[in-house]
Amino acid sequence: MKKISVYLFAFTAILLLNIDVAFAEDAPAKIVAADTAWMLISSALVMLMVPGLALFYGGMDRGKNILSTLMLSFISLGVITVQWVLFGYSLAFGGDIGHFIGDFSYVALNGVGLEPNGTIPHQLFMVFQMMFAILTPALISGAIVGRMKFTTYIVFIVLWSTLVYDPLCHWVWGGGWMSDMGALDFAGGLVVHISSGVSALAACIILGKRKGFPREAMPPHNLPLTLIGAGLLWFGWFGFNAGSALAADTVAVSAFVVTQIATGAAILGWVFTEWIHRGKPTFLGAASGAVAGLVAITPAAGFVGPISALLIGALAGLICYLAVVAKHRFGYDDALDVFAVHGLGGTVGALATGLFASAAIGGTDGLFFGNPSQFGTQFISVAAAWIYSFGVTFIILKVLDATMGLRVSEEEEVTGLDLSLHGERGYTI
Amino acid sequence: MKKISVYLFAFTAILLLNIDVAFAEDAPAKIVAADTAWMLISSALVMLMVPGLALFYGGMDRGKNILSTLMLSFISLGVITVQWVLFGYSLAFGGDIGHFIGDFSYVALNGVGLEPNGTIPHQLFMVFQMMFAILTPALISGAIVGRMKFTTYIVFIVLWSTLVYDPLCHWVWGGGWMSDMGALDFAGGLVVHISSGVSALAACIILGKRKGFPREAMPPHNLPLTLIGAGLLWFGWFGFNAGSALAADTVAVSAFVVTQIATGAAILGWVFTEWIHRGKPTFLGAASGAVAGLVAITPAAGFVGPISALLIGALAGLICYLAVVAKHRFGYDDALDVFAVHGLGGTVGALATGLFASAAIGGTDGLFFGNPSQFGTQFISVAAAWIYSFGVTFIILKVLDATMGLRVSEEEEVTGLDLSLHGERGYTI
Amino acid sequence: MKKISVYLFAFTAILLLNIDVAFAEDAPAKIVAADTAWMLISSALVMLMVPGLALFYGGMDRGKNILSTLMLSFISLGVITVQWVLFGYSLAFGGDIGHFIGDFSYVALNGVGLEPNGTIPHQLFMVFQMMFAILTPALISGAIVGRMKFTTYIVFIVLWSTLVYDPLCHWVWGGGWMSDMGALDFAGGLVVHISSGVSALAACIILGKRKGFPREAMPPHNLPLTLIGAGLLWFGWFGFNAGSALAADTVAVSAFVVTQIATGAAILGWVFTEWIHRGKPTFLGAASGAVAGLVAITPAAGFVGPISALLIGALAGLICYLAVVAKHRFGYDDALDVFAVHGLGGTVGALATGLFASAAIGGTDGLFFGNPSQFGTQFISVAAAWIYSFGVTFIILKVLDATMGLRVSEEEEVTGLDLSLHGERGYTI
Amino acid sequence: MKKLEAIIKPFMLDSVKEVLTGMEIQGITVTEVKGFGRQKGHTELYRGAEYTVDFLPKVKIEVVLKEELVEKAIEKITETASTGKIGDGKIFVSPIEEVVRIRTGERGESAI
Amino acid sequence: MKKLEAIIKPFMLDSVKEVLTGMEIQGITVTEVKGFGRQKGHTELYRGAEYTVDFLPKVKIEVVLKEELVEKAIEKITETASTGKIGDGKIFVSPIEEVVRIRTGERGESAI
Amino acid sequence: MKKLEAIIKPFMLDSVKEVLTGMEIQGITVTEVKGFGRQKGHTELYRGAEYTVDFLPKVKIEVVLKEELVEKAIEKITETASTGKIGDGKIFVSPIEEVVRIRTGERGESAI
Ligand SMILES: Nc1ncnc2c1ncn2[C@@H]1O[C@H](COP(=O)(O)OP(=O)(O)O)[C@@H](O)[C@H]1O
Ligand SMILES: Nc1ncnc2c1ncn2[C@@H]1O[C@H](COP(=O)(O)OP(=O)(O)O)[C@@H](O)[C@H]1O
Ligand SMILES: Nc1ncnc2c1ncn2[C@@H]1O[C@H](COP(=O)(O)OP(=O)(O)O)[C@@H](O)[C@H]1O
């Protein structure tokens, strides 16, 4: 009897200890304060990317459109915050419908409370994802600065977010067909960068060129603003990439480290390519290279190691530079090169993930580590994201063109949108 | 005997386990690393609001006063840091004297060490609160830019901090009569925004108008600076509001989420109201709306849910816009609209807390959730904060006017304060 | 038998519990999520200091060199990221060779994985240190703006990082002779500030004066940029100093608090000294004072208490101001006063650590707390850092001068480096 | 036809514009300039160093007008822009031989 | 020798420069100015307040040229810079008595 | 009375100001302008694209002075501002019929 009771006790005690351990490691139902802290700050960091982007773009544009350019990003913080609360989050992360879209279960954040979702409160996951949803349409705006009607733009981003972003987000992160297929997209190479970059291409083709392009030089009006923007983007991107681990764990650390390395390498990739090509290393090239590197490592972070990141970054700097140069061959007016940097940078990253992914880092091997099928999966997901984004954006804009009109009048364009659309001027120095 | 020893052991073991659990959950006397991490970064975030505010204000002011405007905020980082260390913290959080003010027990941070205060070290709580104390007088400066003597301003913020901020802070957060009464002010709607906003009104009435106001147009000289400021303020405000939970817990998450939602909604509230009223949506309106939303949700965060936040934000955008327009009727020269945005925005938020508070979120119900008395409590606390802030600020400034003088000479004002007071110019481009 | 098994079990259980506790408190081999969260954000904060520094410097320089000045800092994010990955980290933190330098064990981050290093993953420690390595050469750039060849600069920072920074870092933090000796340098007063400040002095002496200096006035071209820079630097410095605790613990809190206090006091120290000396309190003085305070508290943070910090800060403001003024006596052209602020500020801080350190805070007493030998140790380490930095920088630059050439042509200098070296202009407003 | 170039203190611009438009003057062109004259410059501070800035911000107003308006315009400007302090500025009068309105091609006085 | 001063709309600068250099004109000096004229200013918004900005951004082109080129230059500028809308600007012609090329010290027409 | 307008390279401003004030010249007005001339512009880079900037930054110095000072001033400016390289600039001399000092209402040479 005594013996039994001892064993019983020992068993119970060990069980308890095990439960405790299990609890900490596997149970999805407990909030971890450290993860909450990290995801709070990560969410704030991603929010900061929106003003960062506004500045990055604003500095590159002409002075007469500076406020208009800032506004295109900033207004997304208003419009998409509300869209996401009302139904966007539900479409992306609500109960799966046909592996294509979420249902209406989370409309108006109904049922999205403070209970755990993984190791953080559900609302925290929701708000972290909200920041991505806000940033993505703002990325597109770089292609269409200086000539789009503001009213139409607002309607556009609501439609685009609802019809392009939310479904894509569902496919990849919300339990849709791409995740089923095993496509890897750590922090949004497909969802954020390919979607916005390819849509930007569609948008600037439909919208047409800025008056005077490419004959007239349209040099950046205030590059120090672009540096501020690049700095804030980089800083915020640590939340974007390392935050996508959804925990303060080794995955987050790995994502953080490769983000830094790829970005550094991409600066060099862009600057040296330009140096060789044009004879001078430009500051704007360094800033652009950084963004190209950040874009390219986004899908790969969490799956690749430091040296792979070095290569991905350098490659992204090189390719995005060449893409920017090639633009002039094709003749579309992607004003601030959203397609070259985000569309192609994201594509480089998503494909590179299929090459460089290593099971030792993120559980899945890529082609270079003996798993060629992953590259195929990545290729399919990239192709799907391109086609879907381009197609739906094309349709949305054609409809808006026919109904509301896309472009401002020529006089408004010549005057500058700050004065003609917003009744303001950027500088009265 | 054996039996007993087994039970004894089992009992002890279970006790130990229980203590451990209790320790983690209830004991107030243990530092939690995750909370410490979150409060460290929150403190840094609130510090960043001060340069953020400087830029937000600076961009809106005229170019000849840009450095002077930046300086009014920046110097608070020097002056109030020292004031807070020497005696400010003690007045606000020292042992309670008559529910009105703290005693001198913490003078020179005596006794403020690294021991726990809640789940974080006492010094961390002190430094987090220090950032609030620094920011608040800087908020006032927006009303009096372009015409106040710098020397007098320094004396003013020391006196104001000591006689207005520290007592108010004690009333609400330091164990004073307002907290006794059950007034809700999560992150400083009363302590920070009403106090500074109403004092700003007193200040600009006593100080008088800028030369040329309102006949002469005084357009903002550099709105991209204002965007940078707005971005940093928003970013920092996550530390301000979610940090006010003093822990990386669900309360912080809730505060964070409603902060984002109210701010987004307030952008739309302001922009659409202006659009209807003036025919154009302005960029400065979007930035101002964001700040109005941040102000209004400050007291309510942690007590209200997401949809309430949406309404509070939209309302704040609308009301603050109307208040800014109404200013011209009353004829005082609140240069950068501190009263309209912080005074009224804070009031909207503090009263709305009495309406929208929900026990399910923060433990207390407001009027709309069946507890009308809370609205009464909020109303009394708002009225008290208005009267106290206005009255004491009025007296301080009258005394300073009689002794040191408040205004610079007309020539200094016309030349611009940068050159006349600081011997510098903002730009030599 | 039964008895024995009971005792055996009890023993085992207690052992397990003890291990668990020991694990949490002492064992170096377990990752703590809260520390990871804090170090992730701290690393991001230190990264942000690089664009912050670029802006701080850029605003002070002339408009024709703004991009060039930004570029000198920004390019370090590319160059040193790669250097650190390839071999820099290994030189600094690889296996010790003669207490002087690390070996090649960590080349290409070989062996630097996600296993614990203290309570955080090794890669996180590596990336946190990377940010320091990036920032430090960028600090030097302030001395040589407006006249150095960009190509040579890139080679210079690679050599400097390898031959000056990596060894010094090893001496102090990598297990080298200075740490053996007991020298205290919490966050890099020696490693970062004395090394860069003294090297800056060597650099501007060898490079020679800017054309026109000191006859021609070279006023800052855009001081609001300098404010943005100062704000980001201060914000990032919380990661720099409090992050140097490598954990979200009370040491981090103490370092954070004294950082804030010293910086506030240094603003007042600089501004009031200038006010007395020149009759006006300048905005640039306030911003410079802040940086001086941040520099001076860097080695002392974690070792000194709040009131000591107040004194150190005030002193740093005063001394750095006087040093900046004295510069004109000596006639070298340290364009943006890197030597006065970082070289001397770091020296003030490192020596003050030997005076004000208190065992109650960081385990070691300084002279004022009865341990005069610590001051001696500090003095020796400061002297060694001065001599080593000056000497090696001198040699590197002499070699580069003879091989690649250091200075741009006079025409390029007169035109401005933005146009002549980078083919760009900062502003087209 | 004559051209009046008035170099004035910047904050006088609005008043001068008003008195001119109060006459039959329909067009003005304004340039921001820097002036050096009897009025001393000021000193500026840069990290404890003091340096003198000789050039002061001024505004140049150019008006082309009929001969008969010249005297009156000079008078009005002088009256309005004078503070009695050194640095109030100058008016220079010079001949204009032809005026063309670009929009219409009109010439001479009717084009002013 | 004569000086032509043409006040034109800023976005016309490039075209006008081109037609002028298409003639035998070798040098142009351009200044950013603010103009006030028959063309109305615009209103701007500042936090719900509306205010009028009278001065519009214009560009002043100065060309010194030989007498025989004056008419042709006027014609070309008028043609190019005219949109037919109010605010297209003016051309003022005034006498220049001497031109000196700083580099060589040359004088007169050959120095232009 | 005459007006000298000298278009010079910006970094020459200080030296020219000094030689002029070394003579009996008491006032100068300076404008930042952009010049187009024999001196070629430069190319700038924008994300791999190269474009030419024709207009170079120049400074225009205006001095009104007594007739007898004209030659000496021309000489001094020419000497000082000349680097011998293309783009050194021009001096234009034109007649001034009247000068008014706003502060006092003085006219003519004494008002200069
Ligand atoms: N001879 C001159 N030629 C050109 N500009 C002049 C001349 N004299 C004065 N000015 C302009 O007029 C401004 C005022 O002149 P100043 O000598 O300071 O005062 P005042 O007009 O009261 O005598 C100067 O800043 C300068 O711009
Ligand atoms: N009398 C004048 N003197 C100087 N500048 C003038 C004069 N009249 C017009 N201008 C300049 O020419 C510009 C265009 O003139 P405006 O009256 O608006 O249109 P328009 O040239 O079509 O009649 C003005 O903005 C102003 O800069
Ligand atoms: N005919 C002209 N009319 C007006 N400005 C001129 C004229 N010719 C030259 N300039 C001005 O003088 C500057 C220098 O002229 P440029 O032909 O480049 O060199 P240089 O004076 O050595 O011949 C030009 O940039 C322009 O501002």
Side-chain angles (χ1 to χ4, degrees), chain B residues 172-173 183-194 237 240-241 244 255 258-259 292-304 312 342 344-354 357 378 381-382:
Chain B
V172 177
W173 296 326
L184 301 180
D185 184 9
F186 191 73
L190 295 160
V191 180
V192 174
H193 297 291
I194 292 182
W237 224 296
F240 195 92
N241 283 2
S244 288
V258 296
T259 298
L294 289 162
V295 167
I297 200 63
T298 293
F303 298 118
V304 304
I312 292 173
H342 295 272
L344 294 181
T347 300
V348 166
L351 295 179
T353 307
Q378 294 301 105
S381 66
V382 165

Side-chain angles (χ1 to χ4, degrees), chain C residues 355-377:
Chain C
L355 301 175
F356 290 99
S358 154
I361 312 283
T364 313
D365 276 325
L367 192 146
F368 293 165
F369 291 80
N371 178 19
S373 78
Q374 189 60 41
F375 186 77
T377 308

